[in-house]
Amino acid sequence: MHDATRSVHHPAVNEEGYASLTVPTHRASTIVYPDAASFFARKHRGFDGYTYGLHGTPTHRTLEAQLTALHGGVRTVLVPSGQAAVTIVLLSVLLPGEKVLIPDQVYQPVRSFCEEYLKPRGIDYGVYDPLIGAGIADLIDDKVKLVWVESPGSNTMEVQDIPAIVKAAKAKGVLVGCDNTWATPLIFKPLAHGVDFACEALTKYVGGHSDLLLGSITVADLGLREQLKVTLRGLGVGVSPDEVQLALRGLETLALRLAHMGKVSEDFARRLARSPAVESVLHPALPSCPGHEFWKRDMGRSSGVFSIVLRPVPHALLEQALSALRVFAIGASWGGTRSLIAPLAPEGERTVVPWPHQGPSLRISIGLEDQEDLWNDLDALLIALEQPAAAKVA
Ligand SMILES: *Cc1c(COP(=O)(O)O)cnc(C)c1O
Protein backbone atom coordinates (compact mmCIF):
# COMPACT_ATOMS: atom_id res chain seq x y z
CA MET A 1 0.00 0.00 0.00
CA HIS A 2 1.39 3.40 -0.97
CA ASP A 3 1.30 6.53 1.14
CA ALA A 4 -1.55 8.17 -0.79
CA THR A 5 -3.74 5.17 -0.04
CA ARG A 6 -2.52 4.92 3.53
CA SER A 7 -3.42 8.59 3.94
CA VAL A 8 -7.09 8.01 3.17
CA HIS A 9 -7.58 4.62 4.86
CA HIS A 10 -8.00 5.11 8.60
CA PRO A 11 -6.56 2.25 10.65
CA ALA A 12 -8.88 0.37 12.96
CA VAL A 13 -7.92 0.99 16.58
CA ASN A 14 -8.62 -0.90 19.73
CA GLU A 15 -11.74 0.47 21.42
CA GLU A 16 -11.79 -2.11 24.17
CA GLY A 17 -12.08 -0.48 27.58
CA TYR A 18 -13.18 2.79 26.07
CA ALA A 19 -16.44 4.05 27.50
CA SER A 20 -17.49 7.66 27.88
CA LEU A 21 -20.61 9.47 29.01
CA THR A 22 -20.87 11.60 25.88
CA VAL A 23 -22.52 10.77 22.57
CA PRO A 24 -19.97 10.77 19.74
CA THR A 25 -20.57 13.29 16.94
CA HIS A 26 -20.84 11.09 13.85
CA ARG A 27 -20.32 13.19 10.73
CA ALA A 28 -21.09 11.43 7.47
CA SER A 29 -22.37 11.85 3.96
CA THR A 30 -21.41 8.44 2.53
CA ILE A 31 -22.36 5.26 4.35
CA VAL A 32 -20.32 2.26 3.20
CA TYR A 33 -21.51 -1.33 2.98
CA PRO A 34 -19.68 -4.50 3.94
CA ASP A 35 -20.40 -6.18 0.58
CA ALA A 36 -22.20 -5.70 -2.73
CA ALA A 37 -25.26 -7.66 -1.61
CA SER A 38 -25.94 -5.30 1.29
CA PHE A 39 -25.51 -2.31 -1.03
CA PHE A 40 -28.11 -3.79 -3.42
CA ALA A 41 -30.43 -4.39 -0.44
CA ARG A 42 -29.95 -0.94 1.14
CA LYS A 43 -33.58 0.09 0.46
CA HIS A 44 -34.70 -2.49 2.97
CA ARG A 45 -32.82 -0.79 5.80
CA GLY A 46 -35.82 1.52 6.18
CA PHE A 47 -35.99 4.84 7.96
CA ASP A 48 -34.40 3.46 11.12
CA GLY A 49 -31.35 2.15 9.26
CA TYR A 50 -28.35 4.00 7.85
CA THR A 51 -28.15 4.65 4.11
CA TYR A 52 -26.97 8.24 3.70
CA GLY A 53 -25.76 10.91 6.10
CA LEU A 54 -28.65 13.21 5.22
CA HIS A 55 -31.06 10.71 6.75
CA GLY A 56 -29.21 10.47 10.04
CA THR A 57 -26.26 8.97 11.89
CA PRO A 58 -26.14 7.32 15.35
CA THR A 59 -25.82 10.84 16.83
CA HIS A 60 -29.17 11.79 15.30
CA ARG A 61 -30.75 8.49 16.34
CA THR A 62 -29.74 9.09 19.95
CA LEU A 63 -31.48 12.48 20.18
CA GLU A 64 -34.49 11.13 18.26
CA ALA A 65 -34.83 8.23 20.69
CA GLN A 66 -34.40 10.46 23.73
CA LEU A 67 -37.08 12.92 22.59
CA THR A 68 -39.36 10.02 21.64
CA ALA A 69 -39.03 8.62 25.15
CA LEU A 70 -39.69 12.02 26.77
CA HIS A 71 -42.81 12.50 24.66
CA GLY A 72 -44.02 8.92 25.09
CA GLY A 73 -44.09 8.62 21.29
CA VAL A 74 -43.04 6.07 18.70
CA ARG A 75 -40.57 8.03 16.52
CA THR A 76 -39.07 11.52 16.27
CA VAL A 77 -37.72 13.29 13.20
CA LEU A 78 -35.23 16.14 13.42
CA VAL A 79 -35.45 19.24 11.25
CA PRO A 80 -33.27 22.37 10.94
CA SER A 81 -35.46 24.71 13.04
CA GLY A 82 -38.64 25.05 15.05
CA GLN A 83 -40.24 26.81 12.10
CA ALA A 84 -39.32 23.81 9.90
CA ALA A 85 -40.94 21.47 12.44
CA VAL A 86 -44.24 23.24 11.80
CA THR A 87 -43.92 23.67 8.04
CA ILE A 88 -42.77 20.07 7.45
CA VAL A 89 -45.88 18.79 9.23
CA LEU A 90 -48.09 21.05 7.09
CA LEU A 91 -46.29 19.97 3.90
CA SER A 92 -46.49 16.28 4.77
CA VAL A 93 -50.22 16.35 5.57
CA LEU A 94 -51.87 18.86 3.22
CA LEU A 95 -52.71 18.49 -0.48
CA PRO A 96 -54.10 21.14 -2.84
CA GLY A 97 -57.77 21.74 -2.10
CA GLU A 98 -57.29 20.97 1.58
CA LYS A 99 -57.14 23.28 4.57
CA VAL A 100 -55.42 23.77 7.94
CA LEU A 101 -56.81 25.70 10.93
CA ILE A 102 -54.32 27.82 12.90
CA PRO A 103 -54.89 29.79 16.11
CA ASP A 104 -54.84 33.59 16.07
CA GLN A 105 -51.82 33.71 18.40
CA VAL A 106 -49.73 31.28 16.30
CA TYR A 107 -45.97 31.86 15.94
CA GLN A 108 -46.11 34.60 13.34
CA PRO A 109 -43.89 33.00 10.63
CA VAL A 110 -46.33 30.07 10.53
CA ARG A 111 -49.17 32.38 9.52
CA SER A 112 -46.89 33.93 6.88
CA PHE A 113 -46.05 30.47 5.53
CA CYS A 114 -49.77 29.67 5.17
CA GLU A 115 -50.46 32.97 3.41
CA GLU A 116 -47.36 33.28 1.26
CA TYR A 117 -46.44 29.67 0.45
CA LEU A 118 -49.41 27.33 0.94
CA LYS A 119 -52.21 29.57 -0.32
CA PRO A 120 -50.71 30.23 -3.78
CA ARG A 121 -50.34 26.45 -4.12
CA GLY A 122 -54.00 25.78 -3.49
CA ILE A 123 -53.79 24.91 0.21
CA ASP A 124 -56.13 27.03 2.29
CA TYR A 125 -55.96 28.06 5.94
CA GLY A 126 -58.40 29.39 8.47
CA VAL A 127 -57.60 31.28 11.68
CA TYR A 128 -59.49 30.59 14.91
CA ASP A 129 -59.84 32.06 18.40
CA PRO A 130 -57.25 30.22 20.56
CA LEU A 131 -59.86 29.86 23.32
CA ILE A 132 -62.40 28.24 20.98
CA GLY A 133 -62.14 24.81 22.66
CA ALA A 134 -64.83 22.35 21.53
CA GLY A 135 -66.26 25.11 19.30
CA ILE A 136 -63.54 24.21 16.78
CA ALA A 137 -65.99 21.54 15.53
CA ASP A 138 -68.01 24.25 13.75
CA LEU A 139 -64.95 25.24 11.69
CA ILE A 140 -64.02 21.71 10.60
CA ASP A 141 -65.54 21.19 7.17
CA ASP A 142 -64.67 18.53 4.57
CA LYS A 143 -61.60 20.45 3.41
CA VAL A 144 -59.94 20.66 6.83
CA LYS A 145 -57.29 17.93 7.33
CA LEU A 146 -55.25 19.40 10.16
CA VAL A 147 -55.85 21.55 13.22
CA TRP A 148 -52.80 23.36 14.57
CA VAL A 149 -52.50 24.34 18.23
CA GLU A 150 -49.83 26.32 20.05
CA SER A 151 -50.17 26.45 23.80
CA PRO A 152 -49.39 28.76 25.44
CA GLY A 153 -49.40 30.90 22.31
CA SER A 154 -46.46 32.97 21.16
CA ASN A 155 -46.20 36.36 22.86
CA THR A 156 -49.74 36.62 24.23
CA MET A 157 -49.64 33.31 26.10
CA GLU A 158 -53.24 32.08 25.71
CA VAL A 159 -53.43 28.48 26.97
CA GLN A 160 -55.60 26.30 24.74
CA ASP A 161 -58.06 23.57 25.71
CA ILE A 162 -56.13 20.94 23.79
CA PRO A 163 -58.17 17.90 24.97
CA ALA A 164 -61.41 19.57 23.77
CA ILE A 165 -59.87 20.51 20.42
CA VAL A 166 -58.43 17.00 19.95
CA LYS A 167 -61.80 15.43 20.75
CA ALA A 168 -63.60 17.58 18.18
CA ALA A 169 -60.91 16.93 15.55
CA LYS A 170 -60.86 13.15 16.14
CA ALA A 171 -64.66 13.02 15.83
CA LYS A 172 -64.21 14.33 12.28
CA GLY A 173 -61.13 12.27 11.44
CA VAL A 174 -58.83 15.28 11.39
CA LEU A 175 -55.18 15.31 12.53
CA VAL A 176 -53.90 17.67 15.25
CA GLY A 177 -50.40 19.17 15.46
CA CYS A 178 -49.06 21.02 18.50
CA ASP A 179 -46.25 23.52 18.92
CA ASN A 180 -45.07 22.58 22.41
CA THR A 181 -42.00 24.82 22.57
CA TRP A 182 -42.95 26.72 25.74
CA ALA A 183 -43.77 23.62 27.79
CA THR A 184 -41.25 21.09 26.47
CA PRO A 185 -42.16 17.42 27.13
CA LEU A 186 -41.17 17.94 30.78
CA ILE A 187 -44.24 20.10 31.40
CA PHE A 188 -46.72 18.87 28.78
CA LYS A 189 -46.86 15.75 26.62
CA PRO A 190 -49.19 16.47 23.68
CA LEU A 191 -49.25 12.87 22.41
CA ALA A 192 -50.71 11.69 25.72
CA HIS A 193 -53.66 14.00 25.00
CA GLY A 194 -54.28 12.53 21.54
CA VAL A 195 -52.26 15.06 19.52
CA ASP A 196 -50.72 13.50 16.38
CA PHE A 197 -47.63 15.71 15.93
CA ALA A 198 -45.72 17.10 18.93
CA CYS A 199 -43.39 19.83 17.62
CA GLU A 200 -40.62 21.62 19.46
CA ALA A 201 -38.21 24.39 18.64
CA LEU A 202 -35.18 22.69 20.24
CA THR A 203 -33.52 26.05 19.54
CA LYS A 204 -35.15 27.29 22.74
CA TYR A 205 -35.14 25.26 25.96
CA VAL A 206 -33.54 22.00 24.83
CA GLY A 207 -30.58 23.78 23.23
CA GLY A 208 -30.64 26.16 26.16
CA HIS A 209 -27.60 28.26 25.26
CA SER A 210 -28.70 30.47 22.33
CA ASP A 211 -26.18 28.77 20.04
CA LEU A 212 -28.10 26.31 17.90
CA LEU A 213 -31.13 26.04 15.61
CA LEU A 214 -33.01 22.76 15.55
CA GLY A 215 -36.54 21.40 15.58
CA SER A 216 -38.23 18.08 16.26
CA ILE A 217 -41.48 16.36 15.42
CA THR A 218 -42.54 13.39 17.56
CA VAL A 219 -45.37 11.07 16.53
CA ALA A 220 -47.10 8.01 17.95
CA ASP A 221 -47.77 6.45 14.54
CA LEU A 222 -45.23 4.91 12.14
CA GLY A 223 -47.33 5.88 9.12
CA LEU A 224 -47.12 9.56 10.03
CA ARG A 225 -43.37 9.18 10.54
CA GLU A 226 -43.09 7.68 7.04
CA GLN A 227 -44.96 10.65 5.52
CA LEU A 228 -42.64 13.07 7.34
CA LYS A 229 -39.51 11.22 6.22
CA VAL A 230 -40.69 11.03 2.60
CA THR A 231 -41.26 14.80 2.69
CA LEU A 232 -37.81 15.47 4.20
CA ARG A 233 -36.10 13.12 1.72
CA GLY A 234 -37.84 14.82 -1.19
CA LEU A 235 -36.91 18.28 0.01
CA GLY A 236 -33.34 17.18 0.80
CA VAL A 237 -33.60 18.41 4.37
CA GLY A 238 -31.38 17.01 7.10
CA VAL A 239 -29.57 18.40 10.13
CA SER A 240 -25.94 18.60 11.18
CA PRO A 241 -24.70 16.16 13.85
CA ASP A 242 -22.94 19.11 15.48
CA GLU A 243 -26.28 20.80 16.18
CA VAL A 244 -27.65 17.49 17.40
CA GLN A 245 -24.72 16.99 19.73
CA LEU A 246 -25.28 20.46 21.23
CA ALA A 247 -28.95 19.62 21.73
CA LEU A 248 -27.99 16.33 23.44
CA ARG A 249 -25.76 18.27 25.80
CA GLY A 250 -28.47 20.87 26.47
CA LEU A 251 -31.02 18.18 27.16
CA GLU A 252 -28.95 16.91 30.11
CA THR A 253 -29.57 20.11 32.08
CA LEU A 254 -33.09 20.84 30.78
CA ALA A 255 -34.96 19.65 33.87
CA LEU A 256 -32.88 21.77 36.25
CA ARG A 257 -32.89 24.87 34.07
CA LEU A 258 -36.62 24.66 33.51
CA ALA A 259 -37.45 24.13 37.17
CA HIS A 260 -35.40 27.18 38.13
CA MET A 261 -36.69 29.40 35.32
CA GLY A 262 -40.28 28.37 36.04
CA LYS A 263 -39.97 29.22 39.73
CA VAL A 264 -38.42 32.63 39.01
CA SER A 265 -40.87 33.47 36.22
CA GLU A 266 -43.88 32.71 38.45
CA ASP A 267 -42.39 34.77 41.28
CA PHE A 268 -41.63 37.73 39.00
CA ALA A 269 -45.05 37.51 37.34
CA ARG A 270 -46.76 37.88 40.74
CA ARG A 271 -44.51 40.77 41.73
CA LEU A 272 -45.00 42.55 38.39
CA ALA A 273 -48.77 42.25 38.78
CA ARG A 274 -48.51 44.55 41.81
CA SER A 275 -46.75 47.36 39.92
CA PRO A 276 -48.78 50.45 38.97
CA ALA A 277 -46.88 50.49 35.63
CA VAL A 278 -48.32 47.10 34.67
CA GLU A 279 -51.86 46.70 33.37
CA SER A 280 -51.90 42.94 32.94
CA VAL A 281 -49.57 39.97 33.42
CA LEU A 282 -49.88 37.21 30.82
CA HIS A 283 -48.31 34.29 32.63
CA PRO A 284 -50.12 30.92 32.35
CA ALA A 285 -49.78 30.41 36.12
CA LEU A 286 -51.76 33.59 36.88
CA PRO A 287 -55.57 33.82 36.60
CA SER A 288 -55.10 37.01 34.54
CA CYS A 289 -53.79 34.87 31.65
CA PRO A 290 -56.48 33.70 29.20
CA GLY A 291 -56.80 29.92 29.47
CA HIS A 292 -55.17 29.82 32.94
CA GLU A 293 -57.66 27.09 33.95
CA PHE A 294 -56.32 24.80 31.16
CA TRP A 295 -52.75 25.41 32.32
CA LYS A 296 -53.82 24.42 35.82
CA ARG A 297 -55.58 21.29 34.61
CA ASP A 298 -53.09 20.11 31.95
CA MET A 299 -49.67 21.53 32.89
CA GLY A 300 -49.43 22.84 36.45
CA ARG A 301 -45.81 23.93 36.03
CA SER A 302 -44.15 26.80 34.23
CA SER A 303 -41.18 27.51 32.07
CA GLY A 304 -39.55 30.92 32.01
CA VAL A 305 -41.36 32.92 29.33
CA PHE A 306 -44.30 35.25 29.89
CA SER A 307 -45.53 38.66 28.82
CA ILE A 308 -46.75 41.83 30.47
CA VAL A 309 -48.99 44.58 29.17
CA LEU A 310 -47.95 48.02 30.40
CA ARG A 311 -50.19 50.97 31.04
CA PRO A 312 -49.88 53.40 28.13
CA VAL A 313 -46.57 55.29 28.23
CA PRO A 314 -44.86 57.57 25.71
CA HIS A 315 -42.87 55.49 23.23
CA ALA A 316 -39.69 57.48 23.85
CA LEU A 317 -39.90 56.75 27.58
CA LEU A 318 -40.33 53.03 26.92
CA GLU A 319 -37.33 52.98 24.59
CA GLN A 320 -35.25 54.85 27.13
CA ALA A 321 -36.26 52.56 29.99
CA LEU A 322 -35.58 49.39 27.97
CA SER A 323 -32.20 50.65 26.78
CA ALA A 324 -31.22 51.29 30.41
CA LEU A 325 -31.54 47.58 31.34
CA ARG A 326 -28.23 46.20 32.54
CA VAL A 327 -28.85 42.49 33.10
CA PHE A 328 -31.67 41.71 30.66
CA ALA A 329 -30.67 41.76 27.00
CA ILE A 330 -33.07 42.99 24.34
CA GLY A 331 -33.81 40.22 21.87
CA ALA A 332 -36.05 37.40 20.68
CA SER A 333 -35.45 33.61 20.47
CA TRP A 334 -35.61 32.81 24.15
CA GLY A 335 -34.69 29.71 26.15
CA GLY A 336 -30.99 30.35 26.73
CA THR A 337 -29.03 31.23 29.84
CA ARG A 338 -29.40 35.00 29.32
CA SER A 339 -32.61 36.73 30.35
CA LEU A 340 -34.29 38.61 27.53
CA ILE A 341 -36.91 41.25 27.01
CA ALA A 342 -38.61 41.80 23.66
CA PRO A 343 -41.15 44.53 22.89
CA LEU A 344 -44.20 43.03 21.16
CA ALA A 345 -46.80 44.33 18.72
CA PRO A 346 -49.70 41.87 19.02
CA GLU A 347 -52.27 44.46 17.90
CA GLY A 348 -50.97 44.19 14.32
CA GLU A 349 -50.94 40.40 14.20
CA ARG A 350 -54.54 39.51 15.14
CA THR A 351 -57.27 38.85 12.60
CA VAL A 352 -59.91 36.99 14.65
CA VAL A 353 -59.72 38.27 18.22
CA PRO A 354 -58.89 41.99 18.39
CA TRP A 355 -56.13 42.78 20.88
CA PRO A 356 -57.93 44.39 23.85
CA HIS A 357 -55.07 46.44 25.31
CA GLN A 358 -53.85 49.99 24.61
CA GLY A 359 -50.44 50.02 26.26
CA PRO A 360 -47.26 48.42 24.95
CA SER A 361 -46.46 44.81 25.78
CA LEU A 362 -43.20 43.08 26.55
CA ARG A 363 -42.14 39.44 26.47
CA ILE A 364 -39.84 38.40 29.27
CA SER A 365 -37.66 35.30 29.16
CA ILE A 366 -35.99 34.32 32.41
CA GLY A 367 -32.44 33.03 32.18
CA LEU A 368 -29.94 31.77 34.73
CA GLU A 369 -28.57 35.01 36.19
CA ASP A 370 -28.86 35.79 39.89
CA GLN A 371 -32.49 36.36 40.75
CA GLU A 372 -31.87 39.55 42.72
CA ASP A 373 -29.83 41.12 39.91
CA LEU A 374 -32.67 40.35 37.53
CA TRP A 375 -35.34 41.80 39.79
CA ASN A 376 -33.34 44.98 40.43
CA ASP A 377 -33.16 45.45 36.66
CA LEU A 378 -36.91 44.98 36.25
CA ASP A 379 -37.62 47.18 39.22
CA ALA A 380 -35.60 50.02 37.68
CA LEU A 381 -37.60 49.56 34.48
CA LEU A 382 -40.90 49.78 36.36
CA ILE A 383 -39.82 52.86 38.31
CA ALA A 384 -38.77 54.59 35.08
CA LEU A 385 -42.15 53.76 33.53
CA GLU A 386 -44.07 55.00 36.55
CA GLN A 387 -42.50 58.46 36.23
CA PRO A 388 -45.25 60.14 34.17
CA ALA A 389 -48.00 58.88 36.49
CA ALA A 390 -46.07 60.10 39.54
CA ALA A 391 -45.44 63.47 37.85
CA LYS A 392 -49.15 63.83 37.15
CA VAL A 393 -50.03 63.20 40.81
CA ALA A 394 -47.47 65.76 41.95
C1 LIG B 1 -38.97 30.14 18.29
C2 LIG B 1 -40.21 29.43 18.03
C3 LIG B 1 -40.40 28.71 16.85
C4 LIG B 1 -39.37 28.68 15.77
O1 LIG B 1 -38.17 28.10 16.17
P1 LIG B 1 -36.84 28.37 15.31
O2 LIG B 1 -35.95 27.25 15.68
O3 LIG B 1 -36.36 29.72 15.73
O4 LIG B 1 -37.27 28.34 13.88
C5 LIG B 1 -41.59 28.06 16.67
N1 LIG B 1 -42.56 28.09 17.60
C6 LIG B 1 -42.42 28.76 18.75
C7 LIG B 1 -43.52 28.75 19.74
C8 LIG B 1 -41.25 29.45 19.01
O5 LIG B 1 -41.10 30.14 20.13
Side-chain angles (χ1 to χ4, degrees):
M1 203 182 272
H2 294 92
D3 282 353
T5 308
R6 203 173 272 132
S7 299
V8 297
H9 282 217
H10 298 295
V13 297
N14 176 18
E15 291 185 15
E16 200 190 308
Y18 174 75
S20 110
L21 295 173
T22 57
V23 181
T25 304
H26 292 281
R27 289 205 193 88
S29 52
T30 299
I31 305 289
V32 293
Y33 296 78
D35 50 41
S38 44
F39 184 78
F40 280 117
R42 67 192 181 284
K43 263 204 335 247
H44 304 295
R45 292 186 171 196
F47 292 117
D48 291 329
Y50 301 106
T51 51
Y52 190 46
L54 187 65
H55 311 310
T57 69
T59 311
H60 299 77
R61 295 291 179 265
T62 306
L63 181 60
E64 289 166 7
Q66 205 162 357
L67 294 171
T68 299
L70 286 169
H71 270 290
V74 167
R75 289 292 188 285
T76 295
V77 303
L78 300 174
V79 293
S81 68
Q83 170 71 356
V86 184
T87 60
I88 296 291
V89 171
L90 302 193
L91 290 173
S92 80
V93 170
L94 299 162
L95 296 173
E98 297 180 341
K99 183 174 175 180
V100 57
L101 298 177
I102 57 171
D104 209 12
Q105 91 296 23
V106 75
Y107 179 65
Q108 205 282 329
V110 171
R111 188 193 287 248
S112 300
F113 178 74
C114 290
E115 175 64 28
E116 292 161 13
Y117 189 89
L118 294 182
K119 212 166 126 187
R121 287 162 178 80
I123 297 171
D124 199 9
Y125 73 101
V127 184
Y128 67 90
D129 176 351
L131 299 175
I132 197 167
I136 194 87
D138 298 336
L139 303 182
I140 302 178
D141 58 21
D142 289 347
K143 284 171 64 187
V144 172
K145 297 294 172 219
L146 178 70
V147 176
W148 194 256
V149 299
E150 184 186 320
S151 182
S154 280
N155 301 343
T156 49
M157 309 305 295
E158 295 90 340
V159 185
Q160 298 195 250
D161 188 351
I162 292 178
I165 291 173
V166 167
K167 195 168 165 219
K170 295 287 129 172
K172 301 207 176 190
V174 167
L175 294 167
V176 179
C178 175
D179 186 332
N180 196 48
T181 301
W182 182 89
T184 83
L186 300 194
I187 293 178
F188 186 69
K189 299 186 195 298
L191 302 180
H193 294 266
V195 166
D196 300 286
F197 301 95
C199 295
E200 310 266 342
L202 305 177
T203 306
K204 307 286 171 54
Y205 281 131
V206 170
H209 295 75
S210 313
D211 56 2
L212 68 93
L213 287 150
L214 204 61
S216 65
I217 310 163
T218 305
V219 294
D221 178 290
L222 282 177
L224 294 180
R225 196 278 294 254
E226 181 170 353
Q227 261 176 276
L228 291 168
K229 289 294 271 188
V230 167
T231 306
L232 289 174
R233 191 175 57 193
L235 292 170
V237 170
V239 304
S240 155
D242 298 294
E243 306 292 285
V244 173
Q245 159 52 237
L246 286 173
L248 282 164
R249 172 192 276 226
L251 194 48
E252 293 182 23
T253 54
L254 175 64
L256 276 179
R257 286 185 284 111
L258 216 54
H260 173 75
M261 290 162 168
K263 197 165 65 71
V264 176
S265 82
E266 287 186 14
D267 178 38
F268 282 12
R270 293 199 176 91
R271 290 206 236 174
L272 285 162
R274 294 197 286 268
S275 164
V278 175
E279 180 182 302
S280 186
V281 176
L282 304 174
H283 189 302
L286 266 62
S288 50
C289 186
H292 162 73
E293 63 273 29
F294 308 126
W295 171 84
K296 211 164 148 182
R297 183 191 65 193
D298 300 336
M299 298 182 180
R301 287 172 53 215
S302 301
S303 63
V305 174
F306 64 103
S307 298
I308 57 175
V309 183
L310 299 168
R311 295 200 192 284
V313 282
H315 187 75
L317 178 67
L318 178 65
E319 277 194 7
Q320 197 184 4
L322 285 172
S323 303
L325 290 167
R326 291 169 53 220
V327 185
F328 279 86
I330 298 175
S333 198
W334 39 270
T337 58
R338 286 289 303 271
S339 293
L340 300 174
I341 284 199
L344 307 172
E347 60 281 359
E349 290 172 3
R350 299 318 175 87
T351 55
V352 173
V353 193
W355 181 241
H357 303 283
Q358 300 298 317
S361 37
L362 303 173
R363 182 176 67 200
I364 297 174
S365 172
I366 301 299
L368 297 179
E369 303 91 338
D370 179 84
Q371 193 171 342
E372 197 179 319
D373 289 341
L374 286 173
W375 181 256
N376 288 342
D377 217 23
L378 279 185
D379 203 33
L381 176 80
L382 294 174
I383 288 166
L385 294 173
E386 283 165 26
Q387 293 305 323
K392 242 182 274 165
V393 173

